[in-house]
Amino acid sequence: IERLVTRPARKYRTIEVAPLTQVIGAEVSGVDLTEELSDEQLAEVRTAFLDHHVLVLRDQDISREDHLRFASHFGELRPVNPPPPEGDPHILEIVTTPGAEDVAGNAWHADGTADAEPSLGSMLHILETPQGTGGDTLFANMHLAYDLLSPTMRELLDGLTAVHDGLLAFGDRPIPKGHVTARNEHPVVVRHPETDRKLLYVNPIYTQRIPQLSAPESRALLDMLYQTVSGRPLLQCRVRWEPNTLVFWDNRCVQHHVSYDYYPLARYGRRIAINGGPLKG
Ligand code: AKG
């Protein structure tokens, strides 16, 4: 049996932090995002973010400006690709219209992994839930996905890269006009830029192949790695949205997957993503 809990015990002064599981996710209370947070609150939110990777803030009846202000504390905001026809260029509307055939994010992924410098994190504010239940989002701790592999597999992966291609995310759907496609190669195992902890950095939405292997070897290895995430509830948490829940997740070490279990109902939210820096293997 492996010891999974690696985060230190902490005492917070200005926020309350209630872990969702032993290994990923926490509900944070004591903050009101309609107001500017104090420096100490922001520092504590940052600490909780690095410890828990996914922060859930309930009852945040915030405007677009409040959302932009909170996100700006964590880095430069990422422009939406393609730029939205109206409104702030950093706010992506996450809309499920009634009867939609599928929704974005309906497979495990982190945001923007095909970019040369993928996203640091995303903040999703859900305003409309599908009549009270459904549309939960699952999150997986990719440090643990790596740690739980055998030493032999970890050693193999440490020397590999993978090609990520933004076009793959669209599947059979048309590419939106004005979309800039990215295609980049990243190490299969990267280090978190702030904690230096290793993690598994491949996902079924964007990763195309491992160029050091033959095509069937690459396919088999990637599928096996995806199964170690999807088939392991112990490294996951599941967030149940209420109107005005805001979730801030770390795209550097977490993957997420929305559950489209609410067809044909509607769901609506707004997402702001934050720029990350270069990845290091
Ligand atoms: C994303 O914003 O990247 C998603 O995958 C959507 C998540 C959600 O709708 O809960």
Side-chain angles (χ1 to χ4, degrees), residues 30 103 133 194 196 215:
V103 296
T133 54
E194 292 185 72
D196 211 40

Side-chain angles (χ1 to χ4, degrees), residues 13-275:
R13 272 174 29 92
T14 61
I15 60 175
E16 289 102 63
V17 178
L20 290 178
T21 76
Q22 291 291 352
V23 299
I24 181 169
E27 294 232 4
V28 170
S29 50
V31 292
D32 173 359
L33 300 182
T34 63
E35 291 176 2
E36 184 58 287
L37 304 195
S38 68
D39 289 348
E40 193 175 357
Q41 276 181 316
L42 275 171
E44 293 203 324
V45 168
R46 280 201 184 89
T47 300
F49 183 64
L50 291 181
D51 280 358
H52 297 280
H53 321 301
V54 178
L55 302 183
V56 181
L57 289 83
R58 303 279 183 194
D59 302 317
Q60 301 295 332
D61 187 4
I62 55 171
S63 64
R64 290 165 194 265
E65 290 67 39
D66 297 328
H67 193 173
L68 287 162
R69 187 182 58 240
F70 183 53
S72 305
H73 287 302
F74 300 90
E76 205 177 286
L77 305 186
R78 275 166 98 76
V80 174
N81 174 17
E86 55 191 35
D88 188 282
H90 305 101
I91 298 182
L92 174 70
E93 313 259 335
I94 302 272
V95 187
T96 310
T97 48
E101 274 195 13
D102 200 2
V103 296
N106 193 7
W108 287 104
H109 68 290
D111 296 330
T113 70
D115 292 354
E117 295 191 355
S119 161
L120 177 154
S122 299
M123 276 184 190
L124 177 58
H125 178 219
I126 290 285
L127 291 96
E128 183 187 344
T129 56
Q131 295 178 5
T133 54
D136 293 358
T137 305
L138 286 83
F139 296 88
N141 180 330
M142 299 307 293
H143 292 301
L144 281 187
Y146 177 76
D147 293 347
L148 291 170
L149 296 167
S150 66
T152 308
M153 181 54 69
R154 291 200 297 255
E155 200 177 319
L156 169 69
L157 297 180
D158 279 344
L160 301 177
T161 61
V163 177
H164 296 237
D165 188 333
L167 281 184
L168 295 180
F170 292 99
D172 296 335
R173 285 175 294 140
I175 316 294
K177 221 171 137 220
H179 175 82
V180 178
T181 335
R183 186 180 153 88
N184 284 285
E185 203 169 318
H186 300 304
V188 167
V189 177
V190 301
R191 285 183 184 273
H192 192 287
E194 292 185 72
T195 63
D196 211 40
R197 219 177 134 190
K198 284 186 173 181
L199 63 116
L200 184 62
Y201 202 74
V202 288
N203 69 80
I205 283 201
Y206 292 114
T207 307
Q208 187 178 45
R209 73 168 283 187
I210 296 175
Q212 295 82 12
L213 303 179
S214 70
E217 287 169 347
S218 167
R219 184 72 273 139
L221 182 56
L222 288 172
D223 284 346
M224 181 279 291
L225 295 173
Y226 301 155
Q227 275 165 33
T228 65
V229 178
S230 61
R232 259 218 196 93
L234 74 77
L235 50 79
Q236 303 171 11
C237 69
R238 180 169 181 131
V239 172
R240 182 168 178 182
W241 300 91
E242 293 157 4
N244 286 325
T245 299
L246 180 138
V247 177
F248 179 25
W249 65 83
D250 190 335
N251 278 315
R252 301 165 298 185
C253 62
V254 166
Q255 290 186 12
H256 57 285
H257 186 324
V258 70
S259 164
Y260 190 28
D261 54 1
Y262 56 95
Y263 175 89
L265 304 177
R267 180 173 178 269
Y268 174 69
R270 300 177 192 138
R271 193 192 83 185
I272 298 176
I274 298 153
N275 270 339

